């Protein structure tokens, strides 16, 4: 085996004038370990709010690159001073996410830490049956003016909000959603989080939006829907208890009093992310 490797090395050196570096077994193991942890680090960043921060940092770095090209010395000086405190600021801002990541590592078994799981890239997309169940349940609840708040998770996992509620872990069905939000039942107050084809948690607390531009007639449910859409890429469906109308919130905006086909189309955009994924300007409100 060694002779074969040496022969290949000599052939490449003679005909291509390229000297291959000496690679030992230790180097290969080291590359595998680094690749493994880098992969899981990138998955964690993508599935948490850290990804929004990373995009912001990339934008700032591009700005400073242009400043360097055009020799904007004052901006570069300010950037150099900010770097010294940036790490501390990031640790303080994302302390909850970092703490949860370390807790998850601590709870995992040694065997699972070293098990490759490259095919698991996050929450799976839901199927058409789930869409029909959610839409049908929402409009049936709207017909009898039963309030509801359903958060449909997208790429960013909502673990921190899921933990504020009661674990359900049940297949999404029309009957289940209607039963959860039935008035005077233990689970009707708060939000339901849907991940893939399953209801993972109920009675969840969501952050309220402090957007002063929102209509004053919006209640707590609608503000909570906008609030969660401001800190994640989720889609939140709201059924008004006062009017029975169905609305949805996404990307910090709320679209009110939508029809069934409009809601289905918006859910399809999450189910099939390759399709155009923007809110129509004339439908934006708030």
């Amino acid at each position: 085996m060694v002779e074969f490797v040496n022969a290949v090395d000599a052939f490449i050196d003679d005909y291509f004038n390229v000297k291959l570096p000496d690679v030992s077994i230790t180097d290969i193991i080291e590359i595998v370990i680094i690749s493994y942890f880098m992969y899981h680090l990138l998955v964690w960043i993508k599935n948490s709010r850290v990804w929004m921060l990373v995009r912001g940092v990339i934008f700032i770095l591009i700005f400073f690159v242009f400043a360097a090209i055009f020799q904007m010395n004052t901006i570069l000086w300010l950037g150099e001073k900010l770097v010294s405190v940036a790490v501390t600021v990031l640790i303080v801002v994302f302390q909850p996410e970092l703490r949860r990541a370390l807790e998850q590592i601590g709870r995992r078994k040694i065997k699972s830490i070293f098990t490759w799981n490259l095919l698991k890239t996050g929450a799976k997309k839901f199927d058409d049956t789930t869409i029909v169940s959610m839409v049908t349940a929402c409009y049936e609840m709207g017909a009898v003016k039963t309030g509801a708040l359903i958060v449909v998770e997208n790429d960013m996992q909502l673990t921190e909000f899921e933990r504020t509620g009661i674990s359900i872990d049940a297949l999404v069905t029309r009957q289940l959603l209607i039963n959860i939000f039935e008035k005077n039942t233990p689970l009707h107050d708060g939000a339901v989080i849907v991940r893939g084809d399953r209801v993972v948690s109920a009675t969840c607390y969501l952050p309220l939006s402090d957007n002063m531009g929102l209509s004053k007639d919006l209640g707590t449910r609608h503000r909570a829907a906008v609030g969660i859409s401001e800190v994640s890429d989720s889609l939140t469906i709201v059924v008004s208890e006062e009017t029975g109308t169905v609305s949805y919130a996404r990307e910090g905006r709320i679209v009110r009093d939508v029809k069934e086909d409009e809601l289905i189309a918006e859910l399809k955009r999450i189910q099939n992310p390759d399709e155009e994924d923007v809110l129509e300007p004339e439908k934006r409100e708030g």
Side-chain angles (χ1 to χ4, degrees):
M1 184 65 182
V2 176
E3 290 79 3
F4 175 76
V5 173
N6 292 334
V8 172
D9 192 7
F11 174 80
I12 295 176
D13 190 16
D14 292 339
Y15 288 92
F16 298 98
N17 197 25
V18 175
K19 182 66 176 178
L20 293 178
D22 295 330
V23 180
S24 64
I25 297 298
T26 303
D27 296 327
I28 296 175
I29 295 175
E30 200 172 22
I31 292 172
V32 170
I33 292 174
I34 293 174
S35 301
Y36 175 83
F37 284 105
M38 284 299 298
Y39 166 78
H40 283 282
L41 176 62
L42 292 174
V43 170
W44 173 71
I45 290 175
K46 180 179 180 294
N47 292 333
S48 66
R49 291 188 297 172
V50 178
W51 174 236
M52 292 187 290
L53 171 72
V54 171
R55 289 189 294 183
V57 170
I58 292 174
F59 177 80
I60 294 174
L61 290 177
I62 294 175
F63 174 76
F64 280 113
V65 168
F66 278 102
I69 293 175
F70 293 103
Q71 297 183 354
M72 301 177 181
N73 297 325
T74 304
I75 293 177
L76 293 175
W77 178 83
L78 289 173
E80 183 180 353
K81 300 301 179 183
L82 290 174
V83 168
S84 59
V85 298
V87 176
T88 304
V89 170
L90 295 180
I91 292 175
V92 171
V93 171
F94 288 95
Q95 182 269 339
E97 284 79 7
L98 293 173
R99 178 178 178 179
R100 277 191 295 272
L102 293 175
E103 288 176 348
Q104 291 174 1
I105 294 174
R107 285 196 298 267
R108 295 183 66 181
K109 297 180 180 179
I110 298 298
K111 180 180 178 180
S112 65
I113 292 177
F114 295 100
T115 300
W116 284 94
N117 198 14
L118 297 178
L119 297 178
K120 185 177 179 181
T121 57
K124 66 175 182 178
K125 300 301 180 181
F126 42 83
D127 58 27
D128 292 338
T129 304
T130 299
I131 294 179
V132 173
S133 298
M134 288 192 291
V135 173
T136 304
C138 287
Y139 284 93
E140 287 188 11
M141 288 186 288
V144 295
K145 294 186 178 180
T146 298
L149 188 58
I150 304 173
V151 184
V152 182
E153 188 180 81
N154 195 6
D155 292 327
M156 186 180 299
Q157 292 188 358
L158 304 174
T159 307
E160 62 178 297
F161 304 105
E162 175 188 345
R163 291 177 177 174
T164 64
I166 297 174
S167 179
I168 300 294
D169 191 22
L171 190 67
V172 175
T173 63
R174 176 185 64 86
Q175 295 88 343
L176 175 63
L177 293 174
I178 293 176
N179 189 67
I180 288 176
F181 290 108
E182 183 65 31
K183 298 176 182 178
N184 302 321
T185 57
L187 300 179
H188 85 283
D189 193 20
V192 158
I193 295 179
V194 174
R195 176 178 300 138
D197 295 315
R198 304 189 71 81
V199 175
V200 295
S201 188
T203 69
C204 299
Y205 295 102
L206 305 181
L208 298 181
S209 174
D210 55 1
N211 183 357
M212 301 301 294
L214 292 176
S215 176
K216 301 301 181 183
D217 61 344
L218 291 178
T220 304
R221 280 194 183 91
H222 294 80
R223 289 189 172 273
V226 176
I228 189 66
S229 72
E230 291 173 341
V231 298
S232 71
D233 60 351
S234 62
L235 169 70
T236 303
I237 307 171
V238 188
V239 180
S240 173
E241 189 173 357
E242 289 75 21
T243 63
T245 57
V246 178
S247 309
Y248 69 81
R250 195 174 182 196
E251 299 175 0
R253 304 284 183 175
I254 186 166
V255 182
R256 302 172 64 183
D257 195 11
V258 297
K259 305 302 180 183
E260 290 189 41
D261 56 345
E262 294 176 292
L263 183 57
I264 291 174
E266 198 63 28
L267 288 167
K268 287 283 189 180
R269 291 190 179 98
I270 293 182
Q271 184 190 39
N272 304 301
D274 292 336
E275 297 180 0
E276 186 177 359
D277 192 16
V278 293
L279 291 176
E280 297 179 19
E282 64 270 16
K283 291 183 180 180
R284 293 190 177 185
E285 184 173 339

